[in-house]
Amino acid sequence: MGRVTVRRPVVTYARRTSRKRVDALAAEEPLELRVGGKALTVTMRTPGHDVELAHGFLLSEGVIRGLEDISVARFCEGTGPDGLNTYNVLDLTLADGVAPPDTGVERNFYTTSSCGVCGKAALDAVKLKTHHSPADDRSTVDVDVLTALPDELRKRQKVFAATGGLHAAGLFTATGEALVVREDVGRHNAVDKVLGWAVLNNKVPLAGTVLMVSGRASFELVQKAAMAGIPVLSAVSAPSSLAADLAEEQGVTLVGFVRGDSMNVYTGHHRITA
């Protein structure tokens, strides 16, 4: 399986002096996702939890609703310079009766680690309709729980601690209990891995949960939360205007700038208690 970190020699400069040392970098490798043997997308990701990533991606794209919609997930053969399998091609077989992805899901060649919707074949396909709407979720979250989540997320970012180069996404209960945390060079991949964990553990829809992300809250992250039925999306940094618009439309509580004992609630403030 691909490595999560890679060691590389560097020269460090400080106070006009230099020294040679070895640094740890977050690994980034391509992963080609296939459905029924047909290439669907190539994404740049941190190796690991790839089956989760694939299930989460298909859930967030509206291809599947849950674990029962996938019959088989297997890595295809493919070797690197060392002759070993790269595990960089993953093929999923949909269950009988599940419609294959339409052309709106297909990517124009590849998705970078920084963008979850780049290369959509049609702009109209970007906005998807969820099968697990969070709009009627009556769960509430206390302010103190939300302001504590960034620290709880950071405690579980083992690879970030070693490299400083990864995004993180964590799924928490409304009382602050950590269910799963995943890291990746791509913020959307980290979220897909979390959603894929939920799919594989038959926990979708994710009612009464909070999705905490280490960076900003973008349109595609709100969309992924809505597709999984997550009622609250909380971010360390700012949301975009389109993220706020979509959160309001889908009934997602959107929280940003969660730092220290403060935060901003952009939509769905009725779920926040103090």
Side-chain angles (χ1 to χ4, degrees):
M1 185 63 66
R3 297 165 295 181
V4 176
T5 62
V6 177
R7 308 284 288 178
R8 186 176 182 86
V10 299
V11 179
T12 299
Y13 289 85
R15 298 179 180 176
R16 301 189 64 80
T17 61
S18 64
R19 67 184 180 92
K20 294 181 179 180
R21 65 183 182 88
V22 176
D23 197 15
L25 301 181
E28 183 175 25
E29 296 181 11
L31 175 67
E32 178 181 327
L33 295 181
R34 299 176 181 174
V35 174
K38 181 181 179 181
L40 180 64
T41 185
V42 176
T43 185
M44 303 303 296
R45 98 302 189 193
T46 299
H49 304 290
D50 291 330
V51 175
E52 290 179 352
L53 191 160
H55 282 71
F57 175 80
L58 293 181
L59 174 72
S60 64
E61 294 289 346
V63 178
I64 66 172
R65 301 188 184 194
L67 181 60
E68 67 279 0
D69 290 341
I70 298 288
S71 62
V72 178
R74 66 180 183 86
F75 285 98
C76 301
E77 294 184 4
T79 58
D82 56 5
L84 300 177
N85 195 327
T86 61
Y87 293 96
N88 284 339
V89 181
L90 182 62
D91 190 11
L92 293 94
T93 302
L94 300 177
D96 292 341
V98 178
D102 59 30
T103 55
V105 176
E106 294 178 4
R107 302 293 201 239
N108 294 331
F109 184 54
Y110 81 100
T111 300
T112 71
S113 59
S114 62
C115 179
V117 296
C118 300
K120 279 283 192 177
L123 186 59
D124 289 343
V126 171
K127 187 177 291 187
L128 302 170
K129 183 177 180 180
T130 178
H131 298 296
H132 310 293
S133 175
D136 296 327
D137 192 310
R138 297 181 180 275
S139 58
T140 59
V141 185
D142 190 83
V143 167
D144 289 342
V145 170
L146 287 172
T147 55
L149 291 187
D151 288 340
E152 293 300 317
L153 186 67
R154 179 61 64 87
K155 290 177 186 178
R156 294 165 175 80
Q157 292 179 247
K158 296 181 179 179
V159 184
F160 177 85
T163 66
L166 290 181
H167 294 282
L171 188 68
F172 295 83
T173 67
T175 58
E177 177 188 356
L179 298 175
V180 63
V181 172
R182 294 288 182 259
E183 297 179 278
D184 199 276
V185 289
R187 61 173 59 88
H188 64 284
N189 287 337
V191 172
D192 279 342
K193 289 178 179 181
V194 166
L195 301 189
W197 172 90
V199 171
L200 292 169
N201 286 276
N202 279 316
K203 294 184 179 295
V204 178
L206 290 166
T209 61
V210 179
L211 178 62
M212 182 74 212
V213 296
S214 60
R216 62 184 178 87
S218 57
F219 168 89
E220 66 264 28
L221 298 194
V222 174
Q223 177 175 279
K224 290 177 184 296
M227 295 298 284
I230 297 173
V232 182
L233 171 61
S234 183
V236 172
S237 296
S240 67
S241 62
L242 195 57
D245 290 344
L246 184 64
E248 187 169 30
E249 177 185 313
Q250 295 292 335
V252 173
T253 295
L254 180 60
V255 184
F257 288 112
V258 186
R259 300 173 184 178
D261 60 358
S262 67
M263 63 185 195
N264 293 342
V265 181
Y266 295 88
T267 64
H269 64 275
H270 61 282
R271 291 196 180 97
I272 309 302
T273 61

